[in-house]
Structure formats: C-alpha cells, structure tokens
mmCIF file of all heavy atoms in Angstrom:
data_model
loop_
_atom_site.group_PDB
_atom_site.id
_atom_site.type_symbol
_atom_site.label_atom_id
_atom_site.label_comp_id
_atom_site.label_asym_id
_atom_site.label_seq_id
_atom_site.Cartn_x
_atom_site.Cartn_y
_atom_site.Cartn_z
ATOM 1 N N GLY A 1 -3.453 15.560 4.032
ATOM 2 C CA GLY A 1 -3.459 14.132 3.774
ATOM 3 C C GLY A 1 -4.101 13.709 2.467
ATOM 4 O O GLY A 1 -4.606 14.528 1.694
ATOM 5 N N ASP A 2 -4.069 12.383 2.224
ATOM 6 C CA ASP A 2 -4.477 11.771 0.960
ATOM 7 C C ASP A 2 -3.722 12.409 -0.203
ATOM 8 O O ASP A 2 -4.291 12.673 -1.269
ATOM 9 C CB ASP A 2 -5.992 11.884 0.754
ATOM 10 C CG ASP A 2 -6.757 10.831 1.560
ATOM 11 O OD1 ASP A 2 -6.105 10.079 2.305
ATOM 12 O OD2 ASP A 2 -7.989 10.777 1.456
ATOM 13 N N LEU A 3 -2.428 12.625 0.012
ATOM 14 C CA LEU A 3 -1.577 13.155 -1.048
ATOM 15 C C LEU A 3 -1.368 12.092 -2.122
ATOM 16 O O LEU A 3 -1.195 12.415 -3.297
ATOM 17 C CB LEU A 3 -0.240 13.602 -0.460
ATOM 18 C CG LEU A 3 -0.341 14.607 0.712
ATOM 19 C CD1 LEU A 3 1.040 14.912 1.274
ATOM 20 C CD2 LEU A 3 -1.032 15.883 0.265
ATOM 21 N N VAL A 4 -1.380 10.834 -1.705
ATOM 22 C CA VAL A 4 -1.359 9.707 -2.639
ATOM 23 C C VAL A 4 -2.511 8.773 -2.285
ATOM 24 O O VAL A 4 -3.059 8.831 -1.183
ATOM 25 C CB VAL A 4 -0.016 8.937 -2.593
ATOM 26 C CG1 VAL A 4 1.111 9.779 -3.168
ATOM 27 C CG2 VAL A 4 0.325 8.526 -1.158
ATOM 28 N N SER A 5 -2.860 7.895 -3.206
ATOM 29 C CA SER A 5 -3.993 6.989 -2.973
ATOM 30 C C SER A 5 -3.608 5.763 -2.162
ATOM 31 O O SER A 5 -4.484 5.054 -1.655
ATOM 32 C CB SER A 5 -4.610 6.553 -4.306
ATOM 33 O OG SER A 5 -5.245 7.646 -4.916
ATOM 34 N N GLY A 6 -2.284 5.489 -2.059
ATOM 35 C CA GLY A 6 -1.830 4.409 -1.192
ATOM 36 C C GLY A 6 -2.172 3.026 -1.711
ATOM 37 O O GLY A 6 -2.398 2.811 -2.900
ATOM 38 N N GLU A 7 -2.260 2.083 -0.756
ATOM 39 C CA GLU A 7 -2.385 0.680 -1.134
ATOM 40 C C GLU A 7 -3.587 -0.025 -0.519
ATOM 41 O O GLU A 7 -3.883 -1.167 -0.881
ATOM 42 C CB GLU A 7 -1.109 -0.061 -0.711
ATOM 43 C CG GLU A 7 -0.791 0.077 0.776
ATOM 44 C CD GLU A 7 0.564 -0.518 1.147
ATOM 45 O OE1 GLU A 7 0.944 -1.533 0.544
ATOM 46 O OE2 GLU A 7 1.219 0.038 2.048
ATOM 47 N N ILE A 8 -4.327 0.610 0.398
ATOM 48 C CA ILE A 8 -5.369 -0.122 1.121
ATOM 49 C C ILE A 8 -6.552 -0.481 0.229
ATOM 50 O O ILE A 8 -7.318 -1.383 0.552
ATOM 51 C CB ILE A 8 -5.857 0.666 2.355
ATOM 52 C CG1 ILE A 8 -6.481 2.004 1.931
ATOM 53 C CG2 ILE A 8 -4.750 0.867 3.352
ATOM 54 C CD1 ILE A 8 -7.195 2.719 3.062
ATOM 55 N N HIS A 9 -6.728 0.214 -0.873
ATOM 56 C CA HIS A 9 -7.832 -0.095 -1.777
ATOM 57 C C HIS A 9 -7.337 -0.770 -3.064
ATOM 58 O O HIS A 9 -8.020 -0.727 -4.094
ATOM 59 C CB HIS A 9 -8.592 1.184 -2.128
ATOM 60 C CG HIS A 9 -9.238 1.838 -0.944
ATOM 61 N ND1 HIS A 9 -10.189 1.220 -0.175
ATOM 62 C CD2 HIS A 9 -9.051 3.069 -0.377
ATOM 63 C CE1 HIS A 9 -10.581 2.029 0.803
ATOM 64 N NE2 HIS A 9 -9.901 3.156 0.701
ATOM 65 N N ASN A 10 -6.142 -1.360 -2.992
ATOM 66 C CA ASN A 10 -5.567 -2.094 -4.132
ATOM 67 C C ASN A 10 -5.453 -1.217 -5.380
ATOM 68 O O ASN A 10 -5.732 -1.648 -6.507
ATOM 69 C CB ASN A 10 -6.407 -3.340 -4.456
ATOM 70 C CG ASN A 10 -6.451 -4.321 -3.314
ATOM 71 O OD1 ASN A 10 -5.438 -4.553 -2.639
ATOM 72 N ND2 ASN A 10 -7.611 -4.892 -3.054
ATOM 73 N N LEU A 11 -5.021 0.040 -5.165
ATOM 74 C CA LEU A 11 -4.904 0.972 -6.280
ATOM 75 C C LEU A 11 -3.491 1.064 -6.845
ATOM 76 O O LEU A 11 -3.271 1.773 -7.822
ATOM 77 C CB LEU A 11 -5.374 2.371 -5.836
ATOM 78 C CG LEU A 11 -6.860 2.498 -5.514
ATOM 79 C CD1 LEU A 11 -7.175 3.894 -4.999
ATOM 80 C CD2 LEU A 11 -7.707 2.195 -6.744
ATOM 81 N N ILE A 12 -2.541 0.372 -6.214
ATOM 82 C CA ILE A 12 -1.151 0.448 -6.690
ATOM 83 C C ILE A 12 -1.050 -0.007 -8.142
ATOM 84 O O ILE A 12 -0.356 0.606 -8.967
ATOM 85 C CB ILE A 12 -0.223 -0.418 -5.799
ATOM 86 C CG1 ILE A 12 -0.157 0.159 -4.378
ATOM 87 C CG2 ILE A 12 1.177 -0.487 -6.403
ATOM 88 C CD1 ILE A 12 0.460 1.522 -4.290
ATOM 89 N N GLN A 13 -1.768 -1.061 -8.510
ATOM 90 C CA GLN A 13 -1.666 -1.586 -9.875
ATOM 91 C C GLN A 13 -2.226 -0.603 -10.910
ATOM 92 O O GLN A 13 -1.932 -0.713 -12.099
ATOM 93 C CB GLN A 13 -2.410 -2.921 -9.966
ATOM 94 C CG GLN A 13 -3.882 -2.832 -9.583
ATOM 95 C CD GLN A 13 -4.575 -4.173 -9.632
ATOM 96 O OE1 GLN A 13 -4.344 -4.966 -10.543
ATOM 97 N NE2 GLN A 13 -5.440 -4.442 -8.653
ATOM 98 N N PHE A 14 -3.063 0.359 -10.469
ATOM 99 C CA PHE A 14 -3.621 1.348 -11.381
ATOM 100 C C PHE A 14 -2.953 2.720 -11.233
ATOM 101 O O PHE A 14 -3.404 3.695 -11.819
ATOM 102 C CB PHE A 14 -5.134 1.506 -11.127
ATOM 103 C CG PHE A 14 -5.897 0.225 -11.239
ATOM 104 C CD1 PHE A 14 -6.399 -0.400 -10.108
ATOM 105 C CD2 PHE A 14 -6.104 -0.371 -12.481
ATOM 106 C CE1 PHE A 14 -7.103 -1.590 -10.204
ATOM 107 C CE2 PHE A 14 -6.815 -1.555 -12.586
ATOM 108 C CZ PHE A 14 -7.313 -2.175 -11.452
ATOM 109 N N SER A 15 -1.886 2.796 -10.433
ATOM 110 C CA SER A 15 -1.242 4.077 -10.154
ATOM 111 C C SER A 15 -0.244 4.439 -11.241
ATOM 112 O O SER A 15 0.008 3.666 -12.172
ATOM 113 C CB SER A 15 -0.541 4.031 -8.789
ATOM 114 O OG SER A 15 0.532 3.104 -8.823
ATOM 115 N N GLU A 16 0.383 5.605 -11.117
ATOM 116 C CA GLU A 16 1.258 6.139 -12.164
ATOM 117 C C GLU A 16 2.466 5.248 -12.414
ATOM 118 O O GLU A 16 2.778 4.895 -13.546
ATOM 119 C CB GLU A 16 1.703 7.549 -11.768
ATOM 120 C CG GLU A 16 2.506 8.267 -12.826
ATOM 121 C CD GLU A 16 1.656 8.723 -14.000
ATOM 122 O OE1 GLU A 16 0.413 8.839 -13.855
ATOM 123 O OE2 GLU A 16 2.240 8.960 -15.075
ATOM 124 N N TRP A 17 3.174 4.912 -11.336
ATOM 125 C CA TRP A 17 4.386 4.081 -11.496
ATOM 126 C C TRP A 17 4.169 2.646 -11.030
ATOM 127 O O TRP A 17 5.087 1.846 -11.075
ATOM 128 C CB TRP A 17 5.544 4.702 -10.720
ATOM 129 C CG TRP A 17 6.123 5.908 -11.399
ATOM 130 C CD1 TRP A 17 7.079 5.924 -12.377
ATOM 131 C CD2 TRP A 17 5.762 7.271 -11.181
ATOM 132 N NE1 TRP A 17 7.348 7.200 -12.774
ATOM 133 C CE2 TRP A 17 6.556 8.071 -12.057
ATOM 134 C CE3 TRP A 17 4.864 7.927 -10.348
ATOM 135 C CZ2 TRP A 17 6.462 9.451 -12.107
ATOM 136 C CZ3 TRP A 17 4.776 9.304 -10.399
ATOM 137 C CH2 TRP A 17 5.564 10.057 -11.273
ATOM 138 N N GLN A 18 2.983 2.335 -10.549
ATOM 139 C CA GLN A 18 2.648 1.014 -10.025
ATOM 140 C C GLN A 18 3.652 0.576 -8.964
ATOM 141 O O GLN A 18 3.984 -0.606 -8.837
ATOM 142 C CB GLN A 18 2.577 -0.018 -11.165
ATOM 143 C CG GLN A 18 1.507 0.320 -12.178
ATOM 144 C CD GLN A 18 1.375 -0.721 -13.269
ATOM 145 O OE1 GLN A 18 1.947 -1.807 -13.192
ATOM 146 N NE2 GLN A 18 0.604 -0.408 -14.311
ATOM 147 N N ASN A 19 4.115 1.578 -8.216
ATOM 148 C CA ASN A 19 5.083 1.344 -7.143
ATOM 149 C C ASN A 19 4.845 2.417 -6.090
ATOM 150 O O ASN A 19 4.999 3.610 -6.367
ATOM 151 C CB ASN A 19 6.512 1.412 -7.696
ATOM 152 C CG ASN A 19 7.566 1.122 -6.647
ATOM 153 O OD1 ASN A 19 7.723 1.871 -5.695
ATOM 154 N ND2 ASN A 19 8.314 0.037 -6.835
ATOM 155 N N ALA A 20 4.484 2.018 -4.871
ATOM 156 C CA ALA A 20 4.092 2.976 -3.836
ATOM 157 C C ALA A 20 5.234 3.914 -3.462
ATOM 158 O O ALA A 20 5.018 5.102 -3.185
ATOM 159 C CB ALA A 20 3.593 2.237 -2.593
ATOM 160 N N ILE A 21 6.478 3.402 -3.458
ATOM 161 C CA ILE A 21 7.618 4.237 -3.071
ATOM 162 C C ILE A 21 7.867 5.307 -4.131
ATOM 163 O O ILE A 21 8.045 6.488 -3.814
ATOM 164 C CB ILE A 21 8.873 3.363 -2.871
ATOM 165 C CG1 ILE A 21 8.663 2.409 -1.690
ATOM 166 C CG2 ILE A 21 10.099 4.241 -2.633
ATOM 167 C CD1 ILE A 21 9.793 1.441 -1.469
ATOM 168 N N LYS A 22 7.861 4.923 -5.408
ATOM 169 C CA LYS A 22 8.059 5.905 -6.474
ATOM 170 C C LYS A 22 6.917 6.926 -6.504
ATOM 171 O O LYS A 22 7.145 8.118 -6.722
ATOM 172 C CB LYS A 22 8.166 5.202 -7.830
ATOM 173 C CG LYS A 22 9.505 4.534 -8.082
ATOM 174 C CD LYS A 22 9.591 4.035 -9.518
ATOM 175 C CE LYS A 22 10.974 3.466 -9.822
ATOM 176 N NZ LYS A 22 11.085 3.018 -11.232
ATOM 177 N N ASN A 23 5.693 6.463 -6.281
ATOM 178 C CA ASN A 23 4.558 7.388 -6.234
ATOM 179 C C ASN A 23 4.750 8.454 -5.149
ATOM 180 O O ASN A 23 4.519 9.644 -5.374
ATOM 181 C CB ASN A 23 3.259 6.622 -5.955
ATOM 182 C CG ASN A 23 2.856 5.721 -7.106
ATOM 183 O OD1 ASN A 23 3.252 5.935 -8.251
ATOM 184 N ND2 ASN A 23 2.058 4.710 -6.809
ATOM 185 N N ALA A 24 5.187 8.008 -3.977
ATOM 186 C CA ALA A 24 5.383 8.924 -2.858
ATOM 187 C C ALA A 24 6.540 9.879 -3.126
ATOM 188 O O ALA A 24 6.452 11.084 -2.841
ATOM 189 C CB ALA A 24 5.635 8.135 -1.574
ATOM 190 N N MET A 25 7.626 9.378 -3.690
ATOM 191 C CA MET A 25 8.792 10.229 -3.970
ATOM 192 C C MET A 25 8.461 11.290 -5.020
ATOM 193 O O MET A 25 8.841 12.455 -4.881
ATOM 194 C CB MET A 25 9.963 9.349 -4.435
ATOM 195 C CG MET A 25 10.553 8.471 -3.351
ATOM 196 S SD MET A 25 11.720 7.244 -3.983
ATOM 197 C CE MET A 25 12.978 8.284 -4.701
ATOM 198 N N ALA A 26 7.742 10.882 -6.061
ATOM 199 C CA ALA A 26 7.381 11.838 -7.111
ATOM 200 C C ALA A 26 6.466 12.928 -6.559
ATOM 201 O O ALA A 26 6.646 14.123 -6.859
ATOM 202 C CB ALA A 26 6.685 11.113 -8.259
ATOM 203 N N THR A 27 5.503 12.548 -5.738
ATOM 204 C CA THR A 27 4.590 13.531 -5.142
ATOM 205 C C THR A 27 5.344 14.455 -4.201
ATOM 206 O O THR A 27 5.097 15.677 -4.182
ATOM 207 C CB THR A 27 3.447 12.813 -4.392
ATOM 208 O OG1 THR A 27 2.814 11.885 -5.273
ATOM 209 C CG2 THR A 27 2.420 13.813 -3.895
ATOM 210 N N GLY A 28 6.280 13.911 -3.429
ATOM 211 C CA GLY A 28 7.089 14.745 -2.542
ATOM 212 C C GLY A 28 7.943 15.735 -3.309
ATOM 213 O O GLY A 28 8.097 16.900 -2.907
ATOM 214 N N GLU A 29 8.510 15.299 -4.436
ATOM 215 C CA GLU A 29 9.312 16.209 -5.251
ATOM 216 C C GLU A 29 8.451 17.321 -5.842
ATOM 217 O O GLU A 29 8.866 18.486 -5.906
ATOM 218 C CB GLU A 29 10.014 15.425 -6.363
ATOM 219 C CG GLU A 29 11.000 16.270 -7.161
ATOM 220 C CD GLU A 29 11.849 15.447 -8.112
ATOM 221 O OE1 GLU A 29 11.940 14.213 -7.934
ATOM 222 O OE2 GLU A 29 12.422 16.040 -9.056
#
C-alpha cells in the first residue's frame, strides 16, 4: 500500500500529473 499519495491530504495539486487517475495509471504501468 501507499503506492500513491492519494487525495486525503490535499496532495493532488502537488502531484506529478495533478490528476489522481493519471497518477494511479502511471504507477500501475
């Protein structure tokens, strides 16, 4: 777990793609 930082701590705006779905897909790939 914690493969991505998710959204509960308002980190989406500071993430790689600033999009939770793209972040998850890229990590899965």
Side-chain angles (χ1 to χ4, degrees):
D2 281 3
L3 306 176
V4 291
S5 291
E7 56 187 325
I8 62 170
H9 297 300
N10 298 320
L11 293 176
I12 294 296
Q13 58 182 319
F14 304 108
S15 66
E16 186 73 20
W17 285 275
Q18 298 183 10
N19 182 295
I21 295 176
K22 283 188 175 182
N23 292 337
M25 290 170 61
T27 306
E29 187 171 342

